[in-house]
Amino acid sequence: MTVVAMSSDMHLDLNRVEIEPFIQQQVQWFTEKRVDLFLIAGDIFNDFTKTLNYLHQLRMAMPTLTAKFVAGNHDMLRHVTFEELESPVTGAYLHNQFYDVPETNWRVVGNNGWYDYGFAANLNRAPETFEHWKRAYWVDGQINQALTDEERMQLALKQSEQLFKKAKQADKHIIFLTHFVPEIAYIRFTDDDRFWNMANGFLGSPKMGQLIHQYQVEAVQFGHIHDAGTPRQINGTWYFNQAVGVSRGKQQEWHADSYFQAWQQKVMRIGLNDDKMWQIGLDETKKIFDIIVKLIFVVTDG
């Protein structure tokens, strides 16, 4: 059995985390929980170099742990180009790559994802309106890119579909690791023209959810939004969002005595073995759910 830990949106700089002590706490937790693979769905730092440094420090502190991540929009803010984001800059970076989990029939497919304003289609606004709004109000306005948002989303869809096809041809079960929201069920709409309806346009794309359904992807881990709640099964796919979020000033998205405790409350453990996936929770009991012909055990881990 391979034990996988899932986390996202740790925002280590915004949460003012002391990195070395935090990594030591993580290593102790990974060791106690016998974790083999750590998947991070982006937004580790507001700086890609610092994100890479964190992964390097974690690898040095626990060489037996395999860690894989995709970049979130915050990771993209500093010290990385669009071309670098589209290249395999390190073995831990899983964008447009895949990782076959040893001794299982599971493949982790990675893609950063992006957005195309599709989650704000109800506003009937031109793309130029979203582009202007993004530069004026959204943090992503700082990110340099060679494509329009719609073109970048099309690239993400093309890359993901190619990897889904290869996985299916290899008869692999898929865990899709991405940052941006891939499913419209997670989008909150209001009945007026408020700020949040515009912001929905930058959360992801409904086209990714359609692609996931088309290829019958078994599980998806994503981030970006910090209040997604417990795992959900949608159209036969299990969706996991283990975002920690930010607790600073008026932005109080987690409540715990320490950041490490907040991370523990959000991190998810699953086990993989051949065609099965399960997760052991607080009381160390197992709940069994049928998912197609596989068994999936899902309980929150605190």
Side-chain angles (χ1 to χ4, degrees), residues 27-289:
V27 167
Q28 182 178 352
W29 189 88
F30 290 140
T31 302
E32 291 174 353
K33 304 298 185 181
R34 299 181 180 181
V35 173
D36 303 293
L37 175 62
F38 183 33
L39 300 179
I40 312 171
D43 278 6
I44 302 172
F45 279 92
N46 279 16
D47 185 314
F48 197 73
T49 298
K50 291 182 178 180
T51 291
L52 294 183
N53 287 341
Y54 161 77
L55 269 298
H56 176 73
Q57 289 177 263
L58 181 60
R59 184 172 68 251
M60 292 299 100
M62 192 174 181
T64 58
L65 178 73
T66 299
K68 300 289 183 180
F69 81 102
V70 292
N73 55 318
H74 281 259
D75 301 296
M76 300 175 187
L77 291 175
R78 296 183 181 89
H79 298 134
V80 67
T81 65
F82 174 79
E83 291 74 20
E84 288 169 333
L85 286 168
E86 289 299 318
S87 64
V89 293
T90 176
Y93 184 46
L94 206 60
H95 172 65
N96 198 24
Q97 304 289 325
F98 68 83
Y99 174 74
D100 285 336
V101 182
E103 301 180 5
T104 77
N105 200 32
W106 290 87
R107 174 173 292 183
V108 183
V109 170
N111 194 283
N112 298 337
W114 200 246
Y115 43 77
D116 56 8
Y117 322 136
F119 286 143
N122 57 309
L123 298 179
N124 295 313
R125 302 287 177 84
E128 294 77 16
T129 302
F130 286 100
E131 292 167 5
H132 175 77
W133 194 93
K134 173 181 172 179
R135 290 192 296 270
Y137 302 111
W138 203 244
V139 66
D140 295 4
Q142 303 174 43
I143 299 172
N144 293 319
Q145 60 187 44
L147 307 174
T148 67
D149 290 329
E150 292 168 303
E151 290 170 340
R152 190 168 187 173
M153 187 65 229
Q154 283 300 316
L155 176 61
L157 291 167
K158 180 179 179 181
Q159 292 169 334
S160 300
E161 183 169 20
Q162 289 174 342
L163 291 178
F164 291 167
K165 283 182 178 179
K166 288 181 180 180
K168 292 300 181 181
Q169 290 168 357
D171 198 27
K172 295 286 187 178
H173 304 304
I174 301 172
I175 298 174
F176 182 45
L177 181 65
T178 189
H179 177 69
F180 293 88
V181 182
E183 171 53 54
I184 197 169
Y186 288 94
I187 303 302
R188 176 170 60 89
F189 297 97
T190 59
D191 58 3
D192 55 17
D193 195 17
R194 300 189 315 194
F195 176 93
W196 192 251
N197 281 329
M198 283 296 289
N200 283 342
F202 307 99
L203 296 186
S205 171
K207 293 179 181 178
M208 187 61 86
Q210 293 163 8
L211 189 68
I212 288 166
H213 179 53
Q214 177 185 342
Y215 283 89
Q216 299 181 326
V217 173
E218 285 84 353
V220 176
Q221 181 192 348
F222 70 101
H224 203 37
I225 56 174
H226 300 168
D227 58 351
T230 57
R232 299 169 64 179
Q233 189 181 28
I234 302 171
N235 292 326
T237 299
W238 280 100
Y239 286 83
F240 299 87
N241 178 299
Q242 309 311 129
V244 180
V246 178
S247 182
R248 188 182 67 172
K250 294 182 179 180
Q251 193 173 3
Q252 300 292 323
E253 294 176 337
W254 56 263
H255 303 276
D257 292 336
S258 69
Y259 178 81
F260 178 69
Q261 289 182 1
W263 179 80
Q264 277 185 298
Q265 291 170 4
K266 292 291 186 176
V267 69
M268 175 76 71
R269 270 188 307 144
I270 63 172
L272 301 177
N273 190 0
D274 297 328
D275 296 333
K276 299 177 183 178
M277 179 171 70
W278 68 90
Q279 196 241 333
I280 303 172
L282 290 171
D283 58 1
E284 300 303 315
T285 60
K286 295 179 179 179
K287 279 190 175 181
I288 304 176
F289 295 85

Side-chain angles (χ1 to χ4, degrees), residues 20-31:
E20 291 188 12
F22 175 61
I23 287 177
Q24 292 305 317
Q25 290 174 311
Q26 284 187 307
V27 167
Q28 182 178 352
W29 189 88
F30 290 140
T31 302

